[in-house]
Amino acid sequence: MILDGKAPTGPIEKTWDKHRFDMKLVNPANKRKFKILVVGTGLAGGAGAASLGELGYNVEAFCYQDSPRRAHSIAAQGGINAAKAYPNDGDSIYRLFYDTVKGGDFRAREADVYRLAQVSNNIIDQCVAQGVPFARDYAGYLDNRSFGGAQVSRTFYARGQTGQQLLLGAYSALSRQVKAGTVKMHPRTEMLDLVVVDGVAKGITVRNLITGKIESHWGDAVVLATGGFVNVFYLSTNAMGCSVTAIWKAAKKGAYMANPCYTQIHPTCIPQHGDKQSKLTLMSESLRNDGRCWVPKKVEDCEKNPNDIPVDDRDYYLERKYPSFGNLAPRDIASRAAKEQCDDDRGVGPGKRGVYLDFKTAIDRVGQPMIAQRYGNLFEMYEKITDENGYERPMRIYPAPHYSMGGLWVDYECQSNIPGLFVLGEANFSVHGANRLGASALMQGLADGYFVIPYTIAPYLASLTPGTVKEDHPAFKESAEQVEAQINKLLNINGKKTVSELHRELGSVMWEDVGMARSDASLKHALKRIPEIRDEFWNNVNVTGEAGELNQQLENAGRLADFLEFAEVMAKDALHREESCGGHFRTEHQTDDGEAMRDDENFCYVGAWEFKGVDKEPELHKEPLKFENVKLAVRSYK
Amino acid sequence: MNLTLHVWRQKGPQVKGKLETYQAKNISEDQSFLEMLDDVNEDLIKAGKDPIAFDHDCREGICGMCSQVINGKAHGGDERTTVCQLHMRRFNDGDDIVIEPWRAKAFPVQKDLIVDRAALDVIMQAGGYTSCHTGGVADGNALLIPKPTADYAMDAAECIGCGACVASCPNSSAMLFTSAKVAQLAALPQGKAEAKDRVRNMTQALLDEGFGNCTNHYECQDACPKGISVKFIAKLNREYLKTVAK
Amino acid sequence: MHLFTSTVGRKILMAVTGLLLVGFITIHLIGNLTIFAGNEAINIYAAGLHSMPPVVWIFRLVILVLFAIHITFGIQLTVENSAATPEQYAIQVTQKTTFAAKSMIYTGLIILAFILYHLLHFTMHVVHTDAIEPYNQLVNGRHNVFGMVGTSFQSAFITIAYAIAIIALAFHLTHGLQSFIQTLGWSNGPSQDKVSAIGKLVAIAYGVLYVAIPLAFLFHILKV
């Protein structure tokens, strides 16, 4: 089937304004009659729930953490992009739009990206009004820094904790609505099913993580803002609780999973130290503003103290390969370049899986206090984990799974192919294409939450009579029974392996075969291994405890069960996409000097997969991508 | 290294709990404290026992979910470090480690080391925001906020809401938590309009939720994994005084 | 009124009444120290005080109100705080707080007990009448306060009771003085440790000066 993203036509500068005018509104007096369920309370969900509540809708919001303030948006460090052009360096909405489309390797929908660039400025204003303490100069003006994939300074930041400050801003707006009674919060509650009645999303089934009780919630619309799925790799920079579960349950109810093979591997993470590690820690990409990436030129130097290696014997590979962007090359390119050096046996540190990120030049230029002021918390974090001082000895970094550009398919109004199901932020696929630029995730989350969903949900709701389906509908009972059945099944396997052992197995297959570089052979290997691990899971996992209590093993088992189904679709998507673009690199499709080779003729589309059942072939639906404003071109950062 | 753990086990909120002893074997010094607990849990699961429930999420020291008192110190006592960022190199082979949940009337234990911190959300709901509407706000540069002021606000805003200040306070007061938000917003021009109501309502919520009163022990400042200073409590007191002076 | 019910309001009341009471003990101390200025000095001072009963009674009333506020809220806050911490840790390590801060309620109650005893002794002449009575006659139109004090401090019981109260007072002040600065919002972070140190020095000074009087009698620097 050919999907229609419903992107408005006409001059791109006018599309959002025109569309906003064309959309139907809900009468203020009627708004409170509509109940909207928002699942996930990070930047997108938190901002969305707050804004919808403020408009007068009756909102119920859900998160698995004990408070909405803990969503993993909080871990974003470096900053948020906006086309304010305060530094007078040639930035504009159009340039942000252009950079994002190009950065995404021409696999995003133009109109969505343009809207994002447009509202980026409102986000900064909104956050300032909330009291987000963005960095300022002595005169009091907002400060900017540069980020990968851009030649202008458009990144706003709050020390190394921008995500935290923006999330706390959204959380404060949400708290205000909770107090006002327009939003009801359900913390420590995990969504375990989407309830669909006559093809329309009408509610969710959740598990109260404290009591273990399965509960049904009806809603006139369901908004998913549940983040990304890179924990499918087991080791990633995501929080331990991040999972594909919410969007996968929706996919199993008919929502299309778009571009699941587009995963971002972030270049500046702290390398893995051992096999007992539970997660990887990212350090902001902003470090590459002042840090220089290098590896020894000679293999025999790799074991030496890096300070003893003369400059001439160092290979500053990013500066060498990409002279115009240098150390600020986009993430996918920087990550692959690091992998190349390590594959060439010139990696450093344990297992030789690491490259140096050296601040010596910057410290000599501006002094250590200035570097400490810019990145102090990152150096602290690095030292805590590695016990090494990054000022005195170059840091070691290695790429790690970080973000998923893919997600549920949505149209221009953030609505999935299931009417009434809206998807925001990282959980949808829409604006980042095949690769996300740094400081754009925060931008998208808040754009969707504050400035898109409050408008785009209205025409859908305006077409409904509120509250027609409630918890007494048989679909809710059926859904709750299914959820309970799966829980009982998990608890009664009583096998020998623990959930995390099996998750590690899945993760290692995904990282080796569906990671930074993928080949036909590796993907086929993965497609053989994933069902095997899934079988073993359903026959040999050991989930302790009971259903009716706080049971973290049960939570993890449910999430892994979904990863095991989702991973297969992800590998299938990667196998079908016979091109290299952005975060998706197929070794068969590269130029002579190892750069990604896109195939616009055959693959300039969104690949949206319809789940047909475990062990059945998913069906591929395509949304062709048209580029009318940014010309399709080879993405070069040389 | 091998360690002996004494861990608080409590089946549920109404059940009495007690310290149970476990062995942690072959722990590498590069493991984080929570990864050490993961290991212990794997052994417990394999032995058919209930693993230790503990809160954790980001494991990079920013979400504020992890919450354990280790050998009598909230987050283990390393300066500016959450439990998830505490590494086993800080311990020695053969050490005895006592692990307890946050203890306060306002933080009832839900299971083992997991407590209910909803009371902190209630304090925030009482006024930890500026009442700006989505959209319709002024340009970010319309308000000039000199760097020292922005830095001061940021110092306060770093709070991760973990509750270590409450856990370490002899009075179980959430004053450092409350003051961090009050001070952040009071320092910024955006927050000034509602400053009076904010400080009154948030401190009232603090009492209503069952936290104790601040009596200037300053334990919170040492326990805070983000190094939030008690100078913000002084700031809160100043803000409160303004409401008295009217 | 909000000041009397809120957590910060009551803290401020504690701080302000506490400081005013420090003012009282300062005046009291200065009066007491006249004892070193010769046998008659303190007698003249005492007589001077008693020559203006309205002032004395207003002063006493104010002090009474201050004490009432300080004690009532002190007890109330302590009760609330212990209710907020129903369970104790198996191990608790404190890093910053002091013995003085943790024992405010106890040092406070010791001081209260001593004050009542002190009033019964020197003001109302109800207890230790044997040490008081010999000096009840007016000499040169004045009470012989010097003799009264000197004779009292010949009693080991009175001296020890006095010393305990003064030690309790010093501890109370080490926490109280810096707490006052913090509570009124005059501390800015870097000043914290200095304020604490100065608070401690001042507290010790009060203790030393108060305790100097019985010591002076003990070591016969002052003689009845």
Side-chain angles (χ1 to χ4, degrees):
Chain A
M1 189 172 89
I2 299 296
L3 289 168
D4 179 8
K6 295 187 200 141
T9 49
I12 196 142
E13 302 80 7
K14 299 267 187 318
T15 46
W16 178 230
D17 286 346
K18 183 172 169 295
H19 195 78
R20 266 194 299 185
F21 181 74
D22 289 344
M23 282 186 292
K24 272 195 232 160
L25 300 172
V26 177
N27 179 316
N30 287 337
K31 282 193 178 121
R32 66 187 162 77
K33 296 178 192 156
F34 289 100
K35 185 152 100 176
I36 303 173
L37 307 181
V38 180
V39 187
T41 51
L43 286 184
S51 301
L52 291 168
E54 189 180 66
L55 283 172
Y57 294 110
N58 176 7
V59 178
E60 298 207 16
F62 302 80
C63 67
Y64 73 82
Q65 300 92 342
D66 70 339
S67 162
R69 68 177 295 147
R70 309 209 194 281
H72 199 58
S73 309
I74 205 161
Q77 299 166 355
I80 175 164
N81 285 334
K84 285 281 194 186
Y86 288 149
N88 196 30
D89 56 358
D91 200 8
S92 63
I93 289 172
Y94 201 87
R95 186 176 295 280
L96 175 55
F97 156 69
Y98 175 89
D99 285 348
T100 308
V101 170
K102 178 187 169 197
D105 219 355
F106 304 93
R107 290 294 176 263
R109 201 186 284 141
E110 272 192 341
D112 295 46
V113 179
Y114 195 88
R115 175 178 62 193
L116 175 71
Q118 252 178 318
V119 301
S120 69
N121 291 339
N122 306 56
I123 294 171
I124 301 302
D125 302 338
Q126 187 64 33
C127 294
V128 167
Q130 286 168 347
V132 170
F134 281 120
R136 303 260 177 173
D137 61 20
Y138 282 93
Y141 291 96
L142 287 157
D143 196 19
N144 290 116
R145 55 164 64 142
S146 319
F147 246 64
Q151 287 171 315
V152 291
S153 265
R154 64 159 73 102
T155 304
F156 294 78
Y157 64 101
R159 280 194 200 142
Q161 291 112 295
T162 318
Q164 180 199 24
Q165 293 311 313
L166 298 180
L167 180 67
L168 294 182
Y171 164 73
S172 74
L174 185 61
S175 297
R176 177 170 158 249
Q177 295 308 317
V178 171
K179 178 77 177 175
T182 61
V183 178
K184 182 172 179 345
M185 260 316 297
H186 300 266
R188 290 209 200 261
T189 304
E190 186 171 23
M191 169 180 156
L192 292 180
D193 200 15
L194 177 73
V195 178
V196 177
V197 177
D198 300 327
V200 178
K202 284 292 179 192
I204 57 175
T205 304
V206 299
R207 180 167 180 268
N208 178 323
L209 299 182
I210 296 298
T211 62
K213 209 167 151 255
I214 304 299
E215 298 163 359
S216 299
H217 293 273
W218 70 271
D220 293 299
V222 176
V223 179
L224 298 187
T226 54
F229 49 71
V230 289
N231 266 349
V232 72
F233 292 104
Y234 185 68
L235 281 181
S236 83
T237 67
N238 276 13
M240 303 301 285
C242 294
S243 75
V244 77
T245 291
I247 58 172
W248 187 245
K249 298 297 189 191
K252 289 178 86 167
K253 285 293 175 81
Y256 299 160
M257 183 64 73
N259 300 337
C261 77
Y262 293 158
T263 48
Q264 179 162 78
I265 314 293
H266 193 289
T268 49
C269 299
I270 301 174
Q272 193 182 343
H273 56 65
D275 54 4
K276 288 181 170 173
Q277 197 159 349
S278 58
K279 82 152 271 162
L280 297 168
T281 303
L282 175 139
M283 292 183 299
S284 166
E285 171 171 296
S286 61
L287 285 173
R288 290 196 281 142
N289 269 306
D290 286 305
R292 300 174 70 197
C293 295
W294 64 272
V295 289
K297 280 185 182 160
K298 300 183 216 147
V299 176
E300 59 270 25
D301 280 354
C302 292
E303 305 289 324
K304 281 192 194 161
N305 181 332
N307 292 328
D308 296 341
I309 302 173
V311 174
D312 288 343
D313 287 342
R314 301 175 179 186
D315 178 10
Y316 292 91
Y317 58 91
L318 283 175
E319 295 167 28
R320 169 172 58 85
K321 292 179 66 151
Y322 308 102
S324 65
F325 279 70
N327 291 297
L328 283 175
R331 291 178 173 177
D332 52 338
I333 287 174
S335 291
R336 255 194 324 273
K339 182 178 188 291
E340 262 172 37
Q341 313 312 313
C342 296
D343 288 349
D344 194 29
D345 210 25
R346 291 184 295 134
V348 294
K352 299 191 77 174
R353 291 276 123 190
V355 298
Y356 289 123
L357 181 66
D358 196 340
F359 290 86
K360 180 93 182 25
T361 319
I363 289 172
D364 289 347
R365 190 178 65 239
V366 299
Q368 183 170 327
M370 182 57 111
I371 296 296
Q373 201 186 327
R374 285 181 192 161
Y375 316 105
N377 67 320
L378 300 172
F379 278 77
E380 243 175 58
M381 181 192 254
Y382 181 79
E383 184 163 3
K384 258 176 218 164
I385 294 173
T386 61
D387 213 16
E388 286 176 17
N389 183 333
Y391 298 108
E392 289 163 9
R393 188 190 166 101
M395 291 182 175
R396 285 175 297 109
I397 54 167
Y398 197 65
H402 173 55
Y403 188 89
S404 43
M405 283 73 70
L408 288 184
W409 182 86
V410 290
D411 62 17
Y412 185 71
E413 295 182 341
C414 284
Q415 186 164 211
S416 73
N417 58 303
I418 300 179
L421 178 67
F422 294 79
V423 191
L424 311 181
E426 191 180 353
N428 75 24
F429 87 103
S430 69
V431 293
H432 303 302
N435 173 56
R436 178 176 67 77
L437 291 179
S440 288
L442 301 181
M443 176 171 64
Q444 186 211 354
L446 291 181
D448 286 359
Y450 287 131
F451 299 113
V452 178
I453 191 71
Y455 294 100
T456 60
I457 205 165
Y460 171 74
L461 293 174
S463 69
L464 294 182
T465 314
T468 46
V469 175
K470 296 206 170 155
E471 283 104 350
D472 53 5
H473 192 281
F476 282 95
K477 193 165 170 239
E478 196 185 316
S479 163
E481 281 170 0
Q482 273 175 12
V483 167
E484 276 163 1
Q486 168 161 341
I487 287 171
N488 290 333
K489 195 173 163 192
L490 285 169
L491 288 169
N492 286 308
I493 298 168
N494 294 321
K496 295 239 170 335
K497 284 199 176 170
T498 63
V499 176
S500 62
E501 279 173 330
L502 288 158
H503 198 165
R504 272 174 212 273
E505 276 181 46
L506 172 69
S508 104
V509 169
M510 296 306 284
W511 180 240
E512 292 303 324
D513 293 342
V514 202
M516 258 189 289
R518 301 144 176 191
S519 68
D520 185 76
S522 78
L523 292 167
K524 283 183 175 150
H525 177 255
L527 285 170
K528 183 172 149 289
R529 285 289 294 133
I530 295 164
E532 286 170 8
I533 301 171
R534 189 167 61 224
D535 276 354
E536 171 153 38
F537 173 84
W538 283 107
N539 290 303
N540 196 27
V541 75
N542 182 5
V543 184
T544 52
E546 292 153 36
E549 62 171 358
L550 197 165
N551 186 341
Q552 294 176 313
Q553 285 304 306
L554 180 63
E555 295 165 26
N556 294 343
R559 292 168 195 160
L560 178 57
D562 292 322
F563 277 131
L564 284 163
E565 292 173 6
F566 165 76
E568 206 174 354
V569 177
M570 184 173 155
K572 278 185 177 154
D573 186 44
L575 183 64
H576 114 279
R577 192 165 279 279
E578 289 273 359
E579 65 164 348
S580 293
C581 58
H584 170 63
F585 190 77
R586 285 286 298 265
T587 52
E588 300 91 341
H589 304 283
Q590 52 181 313
T591 60
D592 293 340
D593 53 353
E595 298 297 324
M597 214 157 69
R598 256 187 7 242
D599 178 354
D600 291 331
E601 202 166 316
N602 296 305
F603 290 97
C604 195
Y605 61 77
V606 177
W609 297 86
E610 181 180 358
F611 182 75
K612 297 278 193 179
V614 182
D615 296 328
K616 290 192 185 125
E617 271 306 302
E619 187 186 344
L620 177 65
H621 303 280
K622 297 178 183 174
E623 181 199 337
L625 291 170
K626 289 186 220 94
F627 291 90
E628 288 164 348
N629 298 279
V630 185
K631 244 200 259 148
L632 276 167
V634 176
R635 181 168 158 253
S636 168
Y637 291 94
K638 293 205 170 190
Chain B
M1 61 176 103
N2 296 314
L3 304 153
T4 306
L5 308 183
H6 307 277
V7 186
W8 184 260
R9 300 304 304 265
Q10 183 171 340
K11 210 61 181 124
Q14 312 303 339
V15 193
K16 233 176 119 63
K18 63 171 198 285
L19 287 171
E20 301 255 8
T21 304
Y22 303 97
Q23 303 299 325
K25 298 203 174 95
N26 297 321
I27 302 300
S28 134
E29 60 170 26
D30 285 332
Q31 274 175 277
S32 72
F33 195 83
L34 298 186
E35 284 164 359
M36 183 274 293
L37 283 180
D38 288 343
D39 266 16
V40 173
N41 274 347
E42 291 287 290
D43 290 344
L44 285 174
I45 295 166
K46 293 205 160 154
K49 291 183 187 148
D50 196 23
I52 303 158
F54 60 91
D55 262 332
H56 65 106
D57 203 24
C58 79
R59 294 205 177 187
E60 50 188 270
I62 192 76
C63 76
M65 194 91 173
C66 60
S67 44
Q68 299 173 16
V69 172
I70 298 165
N71 289 338
K73 294 179 180 173
H75 287 302
D78 259 21
E79 203 184 328
R80 293 176 67 97
T81 304
T82 55
V83 181
C84 65
Q85 292 280 287
L86 183 68
H87 278 70
M88 295 313 292
R89 63 178 81 94
R90 293 277 176 266
F91 296 88
N92 300 311
D93 188 33
D95 276 0
D96 272 55
I97 304 177
V98 179
I99 311 172
E100 298 176 77
W102 286 172
R103 291 197 191 283
K105 183 174 148 224
F107 288 167
V109 172
Q110 287 178 315
K111 186 177 181 183
D112 299 345
L113 303 173
I114 295 180
V115 298
D116 179 0
R117 284 171 286 191
L120 295 181
D121 285 325
V122 176
I123 293 179
M124 283 303 196
Q125 286 153 15
Y129 43 77
T130 68
S131 297
C132 64
H133 296 270
T134 303
V137 297
D139 184 90
N141 264 347
L143 283 173
L144 294 183
I145 303 164
K147 183 171 159 52
T149 310
D151 283 347
Y152 176 91
M154 183 64 208
D155 285 343
E158 283 197 46
C159 170
I160 57 173
C162 63
C165 47
V166 179
S168 63
C169 175
N171 308 333
S172 292
S173 180
M175 196 56 87
L176 189 66
F177 170 84
T178 309
S179 73
K181 190 50 73 181
V182 167
Q184 176 204 342
L185 294 177
L188 296 171
Q190 302 90 303
K192 290 216 158 70
E194 296 168 288
K196 285 185 178 173
D197 283 345
R198 179 177 305 116
V199 67
R200 283 199 169 201
N201 295 341
M202 287 181 77
T203 51
Q204 189 57 46
L206 176 150
L207 268 196
D208 295 346
E209 287 300 301
F211 292 104
N213 302 281
C214 172
T215 57
N216 305 327
H217 287 288
Y218 310 137
E219 281 296 311
C220 50
Q221 176 175 280
D222 266 42
C224 176
K226 294 292 146 185
I228 309 275
S229 163
V230 291
K231 74 177 179 189
F232 296 119
I233 299 183
K235 170 78 171 164
L236 176 143
N237 296 339
R238 276 204 300 283
E239 290 300 314
Y240 182 85
L241 269 171
K242 286 186 204 163
T243 76
V244 177
K246 281 260 155 75
Chain C
M1 218 177 114
H2 204 250
L3 197 63
F4 293 93
T5 55
S6 72
T7 176
V8 191
R10 288 180 294 168
K11 184 174 166 173
I12 289 168
L13 286 175
M14 287 300 286
V16 172
T17 53
L19 191 83
L20 292 172
L21 289 171
V22 171
F24 163 66
I25 62 165
T26 310
I27 294 167
H28 193 29
L29 177 64
I30 293 168
N32 285 4
L33 289 179
T34 55
I35 207 161
F36 287 103
N39 294 9
E40 274 302 298
I42 193 163
N43 297 347
I44 294 167
Y45 162 71
L49 269 186
H50 287 281
S51 67
M52 33 186 183
V55 176
V56 171
W57 276 106
I58 291 171
F59 191 74
R60 281 176 174 166
L61 207 64
V62 171
I63 299 293
L64 187 68
V65 170
L66 292 178
F67 267 115
I69 293 174
H70 198 77
I71 293 164
T72 311
F73 288 123
I75 292 172
Q76 196 187 67
L77 292 172
T78 307
V79 169
E80 282 179 19
N81 291 347
S82 72
T85 53
E87 282 195 81
Q88 299 303 311
Y89 291 101
I91 299 183
Q92 180 152 30
V93 183
T94 51
Q95 308 184 75
K96 190 90 180 173
T97 188
T98 56
F99 170 77
K102 286 188 284 187
S103 52
M104 287 303 270
I105 185 70
Y106 304 111
T107 50
L109 289 175
I110 289 171
I111 296 167
L112 173 63
F114 176 77
I115 289 170
L116 294 176
Y117 164 73
H118 197 59
L119 288 175
L120 290 175
H121 179 183
F122 284 114
T123 310
M124 300 183 200
H125 302 180
V126 178
V127 293
H128 301 305
T129 41
D130 49 338
I132 303 289
E133 261 162 16
Y135 306 100
N136 257 346
Q137 297 84 23
L138 298 181
V139 182
N140 304 334
R142 296 187 285 268
H143 283 288
N144 184 357
V145 178
F146 185 88
M148 226 185 269
V149 173
T151 312
S152 294
F153 280 134
Q154 279 166 353
S155 150
F157 177 83
I158 295 174
T159 308
I160 290 169
Y162 184 87
I164 289 175
I166 295 307
I167 292 168
L169 174 70
F171 271 109
H172 206 76
L173 291 183
T174 58
H175 179 68
L177 288 169
Q178 62 84 24
S179 209
F180 171 81
I181 301 291
Q182 166 79 358
T183 300
L184 287 215
W186 295 337
S187 112
N188 66 358
S191 66
Q192 193 79 53
D193 289 341
K194 280 177 218 151
V195 168
S196 287
I198 293 169
K200 271 183 198 141
L201 283 179
V202 173
I204 291 167
Y206 275 103
V208 168
L209 290 173
Y210 262 112
V211 105
I213 296 164
L215 286 180
F217 281 106
L218 188 67
F219 292 108
H220 301 291
I221 296 165
L222 293 175
K223 278 179 226 145
V224 185

